[in-house]
Amino acid sequence: MNLNEVERVKSISKEDFVSNYVKKQKPVVIEQLTEDWPAFKKWNLQYIKSVAGNKTVPLYDDRPVSHRDGFNQAHATMKMADYVDLLESQPTNYRIFLYNLMKEVPLLKDDFRWPDIGLRLIKQLPMLFFGGENSKVFMHFDIDYSNILHFHFHGKKQCIIFPPDQSKFLYKVPHALISREDIDFDNPDYEKWPALKKASGMIATLAHGEMLYMPEGYWHYMKYLTPGFSMSLRALPRSLSNISKAAYNVFVMRHYDVMMRKLRGQKWIDYKNERAIQDTNRNLTNY
C-alpha cells in the first residue's frame, strides 16, 4: 500500500507538539514520553497477571459483524490469568477491547502520568487493549473523533493509519465506523479492492513505552506483532465540524444502526457491505 513512515521524535515540548502536530493534525510517534512512568518498568503481561489474574475479562475475536451482536458485545470471557497464559503460549485472535482494568484494579492508576502535552485530556480512567501475536483490529475510526494518544507496552504493535480525507478510498461501511471487514490490509487484493491503490496513509511500529498520536477522525488498523497491550488517552475534537460529526455518531447513527439491525437482521448488514463497494467505486470514477 501507499504508506509512509509516521514521523518519530524522542521527546518534545508541549509548545512544539501543539504547533507542529495538533494544530496541523499530523501524526507523530514520541518514543520517550513514558520513561519516567512506573509503568515503563512495571507493565508487562506477567505484572498484569499478578495484579489482575482473578478478574473475568471480555474477549473479542475477528469474526464479521453480525446483526445478532449488540454494540461492543463480547464474544467470550476468561480469567485474566488464563488469558495471559494463552497470549504467551500461542497466537490467538482473542483480544481485550476497551476494558476499564484500572477501575477493576485501582493500583494501576499509580503507574501512569497524565502527560502535560498541550491537549485537554478527558480525565476518565483510560481503557486498555490486549492482543495476541498476529491478532488484528479491523480498520476503523473512533466514534467521538477524539485526538488519541496511543501508548503500547510489552512487545511490538504495527499501526496503519489514514487521515479522514482518505475515507473515499477505504470502502467505508455506511452507518458505521468501519471499512469492509473482509479487506486484508496487510496484503490487499487490488483486483477486488481497486480503490485502495489510491489511498495514501502512514505506518508505525510501536515498541514498549512508545506513543502514537492519532489526530481527529483518523482511521487505524492495528496488528499485534507480539503479545502485548496498549492504553489510549483522549482529548475531545477541537474542530467544530468534527464535534458535530461526533455528536451525530453518538446520538443518532449508533442508535439508528441498532434499530435497523433489529428490524432487518442480516439483510441490513449485507446491504451496508454492498453499499460500501458501490459508494467507493462511485468515488473512484471521480479520480
Side-chain angles (χ1 to χ4, degrees):
M1 299 187 71
N2 182 19
L3 302 173
N4 296 313
E5 288 284 340
V6 175
E7 187 175 334
R8 304 177 75 90
V9 298
K10 291 190 179 300
S11 60
I12 194 170
S13 69
K14 175 169 59 177
E15 293 74 21
D16 285 345
F17 177 68
V18 172
S19 62
N20 294 330
Y21 301 101
V22 177
K23 288 184 177 179
K24 295 178 181 179
Q25 289 291 276
K26 179 181 175 183
V28 65
V29 172
I30 304 178
E31 297 176 348
Q32 298 178 353
L33 188 59
T34 67
E35 287 194 353
D36 62 345
W37 295 9
F40 185 76
K41 293 183 178 179
K42 294 168 65 175
W43 280 15
N44 56 52
L45 289 172
Q46 282 301 312
Y47 176 70
I48 296 296
K49 180 179 177 180
S50 70
V51 299
N54 65 334
K55 299 296 180 181
T56 299
V57 296
L59 301 177
Y60 301 81
D61 58 27
D62 56 359
R63 71 187 69 179
V65 169
S66 167
H67 71 281
R68 298 182 182 89
D69 295 333
F71 187 77
N72 283 344
Q73 180 180 339
H75 300 138
T77 59
M78 190 180 292
K79 290 290 186 182
M80 178 63 88
D82 295 330
Y83 179 60
V84 169
D85 289 343
L86 176 63
L87 291 182
E88 295 193 319
S89 64
Q90 64 189 57
T92 176
N93 288 329
Y94 275 134
R95 297 177 290 105
I96 297 178
F97 173 71
L98 282 177
Y99 182 56
N100 198 340
L101 187 61
M102 293 191 188
K103 181 179 178 181
E104 301 292 327
V105 187
L107 66 85
L108 290 173
K109 293 186 292 185
D110 299 328
D111 291 342
F112 82 99
R113 306 282 183 260
W114 293 99
D116 182 16
I117 201 167
L119 286 173
R120 188 173 296 176
L121 297 168
I122 302 171
K123 292 298 181 69
Q124 65 183 25
L125 292 179
M127 301 295 185
L128 296 181
F129 309 80
F130 292 71
E133 181 181 349
N134 291 327
S135 63
K136 303 170 184 178
V137 182
F138 51 78
M139 184 67 75
H140 69 287
F141 62 95
D142 285 15
I143 193 169
D144 60 0
Y145 275 75
S146 285
N147 293 275
I148 301 170
L149 305 181
H150 190 73
F151 301 83
H152 188 64
F153 298 94
H154 193 113
K156 292 187 176 182
K157 184 178 192 178
Q158 184 184 81
C159 311
I160 295 176
I161 62 177
F162 291 92
D165 64 6
Q166 298 300 293
S167 296
K168 55 186 175 286
F169 302 127
L170 296 179
Y171 297 90
K172 179 187 180 302
V173 176
H175 310 294
L177 310 169
I178 62 175
S179 67
R180 287 273 308 218
E181 294 172 279
D182 47 350
I183 297 175
D184 180 1
F185 279 92
D186 290 323
N187 187 29
D189 181 345
Y190 291 125
E191 291 189 8
K192 188 174 183 180
W193 314 111
L196 291 180
K197 290 188 290 186
K198 297 282 189 180
S200 181
M202 282 160 276
I203 187 169
T205 299
L206 301 181
H208 175 80
E210 294 184 339
M211 185 277 286
L212 169 64
Y213 166 61
M214 291 184 287
E216 300 170 16
Y218 259 63
W219 291 85
H220 41 286
Y221 164 86
M222 308 293 196
K223 180 179 179 180
Y224 291 85
L225 302 181
T226 69
F229 60 102
S230 305
M231 176 184 80
S232 286
L233 304 180
R234 331 173 62 79
L236 292 175
R238 297 154 60 100
S239 157
L240 289 177
S241 172
N242 287 341
I243 291 172
S244 66
K245 291 175 184 176
Y248 171 79
N249 288 341
V250 172
F251 297 112
V252 179
M253 183 273 291
R254 178 173 62 178
H255 299 290
Y256 176 72
D257 186 56
V258 169
M259 179 187 71
M260 292 302 291
R261 290 190 196 198
K262 292 179 180 177
L263 291 175
R264 297 189 59 191
Q266 190 60 36
K267 290 182 179 179
W268 174 244
I269 304 295
D270 295 341
Y271 161 77
K272 293 198 301 175
N273 281 329
E274 182 59 32
R275 272 280 309 277
I277 296 176
Q278 295 172 357
D279 293 347
T280 303
N281 287 343
R282 190 179 305 115
N283 291 329
L284 190 59
T285 62
N286 297 325
Y287 286 85

